[in-house]
Amino acid sequence: METKQSTLIFQCGSKKAAIFSIDAALGVFIAIIILAAASYYSSSTESSLELKQLQRVGYDVVSTLNYYNIYSTLDNMTIHNKTMNITPVNYDIKLNITGDFPAGNIKTNSTIDYNTTIVSGEIPVTLVNESTGSRYYASVRFFIWPK
C-alpha cells in the first residue's frame, strides 16, 4: 500500500508542477505583450506631442502678430522682421498672407527646410488700414519647423 500511495503523490505532484510551469510561462508571455504595446504607444505619443507643440507655437506667433496689428502694415519686411523677433530661436516659420487687399499676396522671406518635420496651420484675420479706414479680410497660413 505504501508504494501505491507514494506513486500516487508523485504523479499528482508532477501534474501540479507542469500546470504551474505552463501558467508561469503564459503569465510571462502576457506581460511581454503588455510591455511591448505600452512601449509602442508611448513612443508614438511623443511624436504627436511634438507636432502639437510645433502647431501651438505657430498659432501663438500668428495670433500675436494679429493682436499687435502687424498684418495691417501690408509690408513684407516689417511682417518678416516682427515674425522673426517673436518666433522662438529653435524654430523657423514662413507666413503666406492671402486676401483681397491691394498689396496682393504676401509671403515672408523664410525658406522652408524640407528635410525636417513641417507643421502648417491657418487663421482668418481682418486687416484695417488706419489712414483710409478700409477693412480687408485675409487668411494667414503658417509653415513652422524646428531648426
Side-chain angles (χ1 to χ4, degrees):
M1 278 285 207
E2 285 183 33
T3 55
K4 285 186 177 182
Q5 187 177 11
S6 65
T7 308
L8 183 63
I9 291 173
F10 180 71
Q11 288 176 349
C12 196
S14 72
K15 285 182 183 179
K16 287 182 181 179
I19 292 173
F20 177 75
S21 298
I22 292 172
D23 188 36
L26 183 64
V28 169
F29 180 71
I30 290 172
I32 289 173
I33 289 175
I34 290 172
L35 288 175
S39 173
Y40 172 76
Y41 286 116
S42 69
S43 67
S44 66
T45 305
E46 287 180 48
S47 65
S48 96
L49 288 176
E50 179 183 329
L51 295 178
K52 286 181 182 180
Q53 181 183 5
L54 267 172
Q55 191 173 35
R56 277 193 179 151
V57 169
Y59 278 115
D60 287 347
V61 169
V62 171
S63 298
T64 303
L65 292 172
N66 189 33
Y67 178 78
Y68 288 113
N69 212 16
I70 303 299
Y71 301 124
S72 294
T73 64
L74 297 177
D75 180 36
N76 184 17
M77 286 310 296
T78 302
I79 294 170
H80 177 76
N81 290 337
K82 295 288 185 179
T83 302
M84 290 302 120
N85 288 342
I86 294 173
T87 306
V89 294
N90 52 341
Y91 298 108
D92 207 355
I93 191 168
K94 180 178 183 75
L95 302 178
N96 291 341
I97 306 167
T98 57
D100 60 349
F101 43 87
N105 296 341
I106 298 172
K107 295 181 180 183
T108 57
N109 298 334
S110 299
T111 304
I112 296 176
D113 179 12
Y114 292 105
N115 296 325
T116 186
T117 303
I118 303 167
V119 176
S120 176
E122 186 172 16
I123 67 165
V125 295
T126 302
L127 310 176
V128 179
N129 188 337
E130 299 283 332
S131 60
T132 64
S134 302
R135 191 175 290 261
Y136 306 106
Y137 299 103
S139 176
V140 179
R141 175 167 287 282
F142 67 86
F143 303 91
I144 189 165
W145 60 95
K147 287 185 179 179

